[in-house]
Amino acid sequence: MIRLQKYLAERGLASRRGAEEMIKQGRITINGRRAEIGMSIDPATALVAVDGQALPPQREQKITLMLHKPRGYVTTMHDRHATKTVADLVDCPERLYPVGRLDKDSEGLLLMTNDGELAHALTHPSRQVAKVYRVTLRGQVSENMRTQLQTGIMLDGTRTLPLQLREVSQQPDRTVLEFTLQEGRNRQIRRMCQAVGLQVLRLKRTQIGPLKLGMLPVGETRTLTAEETKKLLLFLQKK
């Protein structure tokens, strides 16, 4: 859903303020009914007319956004049981969907797109797209624990793929490790850590393939730059 005045502005009919004036003047109708200030529409289904003339269908643009998902948000666009979903954080005229998953208690980089081919390429198990996570754990991590995590843990009857571990920092009460995985089972890192006796205090995804979260503020989105898009496509071509 998108605010009507924003939609009109993006269609090039007027500025947002100008679009509001057009709505006040009764020049805009939605599905045959006079529009009102503050209305939101679904561009994919709403019939918008200006002065009685229907706007031509808008060709869907392929859009990919980077979202810094906060903790507490469910990675879905619709969930009647969830009070907060990532849909609440995205304001885009196109209908976007999350690429892969990031559980409610985790945070960090999440891609949102309407490009089905791209989403499939990034999530298909055969591609083994690497993802990097910064994980804060309670207490110390022994060498035996690290070896088990790196070589694989039995989950749901199959062993996880080998992964890379890098120590970021270590204190008496907590250890921060960087995990680099090439698979994405449900709550995989949390379940692996639990299996070796470790408690996850915080889990943040910082990278997917060549794309890095960087300094994007929590809860904010941005479109991929031309350079990032180029790098991503070249990366996937090599997979």
Side-chain angles (χ1 to χ4, degrees), residues 61-79:
Q61 292 179 298
K62 289 187 177 180
I63 296 175
T64 301
L65 299 180
M66 179 183 293
L67 166 66
H68 188 158
K69 182 186 114 46
R71 282 179 281 184
Y73 283 77
V74 178
T75 304
T76 183
M77 299 305 286
H78 303 285
D79 187 336

Side-chain angles (χ1 to χ4, degrees), residues 111-123:
L111 297 179
M112 308 284 294
T113 189
N114 61 355
D115 188 337
E117 291 184 9
L118 177 65
H120 178 76
L122 285 168
T123 56

Side-chain angles (χ1 to χ4, degrees), residues 3-6 8 16-28 34-39:
R3 286 289 182 126
L4 177 58
Q5 55 264 41
K6 181 179 179 183
L8 295 173
R16 288 201 195 186
R17 183 170 295 180
E20 289 181 359
E21 286 301 316
M22 294 172 71
I23 297 169
K24 289 178 182 177
Q25 293 165 8
R27 298 175 59 193
I28 310 298
R34 181 171 172 170
E36 298 178 0
I37 296 293
M39 289 182 68

Side-chain angles (χ1 to χ4, degrees), residues 158-177:
T158 58
R159 188 172 297 278
T160 59
L161 295 176
L163 58 81
Q164 296 178 22
L165 275 185
R166 182 178 72 86
E167 184 178 297
V168 177
S169 66
Q170 186 167 206
Q171 299 174 9
D173 63 337
R174 67 185 56 203
T175 302
V176 180
L177 297 178

Side-chain angles (χ1 to χ4, degrees), residues 7-165:
Y7 172 75
L8 295 173
E10 290 180 348
R11 292 298 303 264
L13 294 171
S15 65
R16 288 201 195 186
R17 183 170 295 180
E20 289 181 359
E21 286 301 316
M22 294 172 71
I23 297 169
K24 289 178 182 177
Q25 293 165 8
R27 298 175 59 193
I28 310 298
T29 59
I30 308 297
N31 299 328
R33 296 185 178 183
R34 181 171 172 170
E36 298 178 0
I37 296 293
M39 289 182 68
S40 293
I41 65 167
D42 181 348
T45 59
L47 179 61
V48 181
V50 182
D51 298 329
Q53 297 295 314
L55 291 180
Q58 186 179 25
R59 186 177 180 181
E60 185 180 62
Q61 292 179 298
K62 289 187 177 180
I63 296 175
T64 301
L65 299 180
M66 179 183 293
L67 166 66
H68 188 158
K69 182 186 114 46
R71 282 179 281 184
Y73 283 77
V74 178
T75 304
T76 183
M77 299 305 286
H78 303 285
D79 187 336
R80 61 190 180 91
H81 300 295
T83 56
K84 295 187 291 187
T85 72
V86 294
D88 302 328
L89 304 170
V90 179
D91 183 13
C92 180
E94 307 294 346
R95 186 172 295 179
L96 305 181
Y97 298 92
V99 179
R101 64 171 71 91
L102 196 55
D103 69 63
K104 180 181 177 180
D105 299 321
S106 299
E107 60 193 293
L109 176 56
L110 181 68
L111 297 179
M112 308 284 294
T113 189
N114 61 355
D115 188 337
E117 291 184 9
L118 177 65
H120 178 76
L122 285 168
T123 56
H124 197 278
S126 66
R127 297 284 186 134
Q128 295 188 351
V129 175
K131 301 176 184 68
V132 182
Y133 300 81
R134 186 184 179 99
V135 184
T136 303
L137 301 158
R138 185 181 299 281
Q140 301 287 305
V141 181
S142 69
E143 285 302 316
N144 182 51
M145 290 174 175
R146 294 184 195 220
T147 298
Q148 291 182 68
L149 292 171
Q150 287 176 304
T151 56
I153 300 289
M154 291 296 293
L155 294 179
D156 303 322
T158 58
R159 188 172 297 278
T160 59
L161 295 176
L163 58 81
Q164 296 178 22
L165 275 185

Side-chain angles (χ1 to χ4, degrees), residues 177-189:
L177 297 178
E178 183 182 85
F179 285 63
T180 301
L181 281 70
Q182 291 185 308
E183 60 181 334
R185 304 195 200 184
N186 186 36
R187 298 177 67 87
Q188 180 172 340
I189 292 177

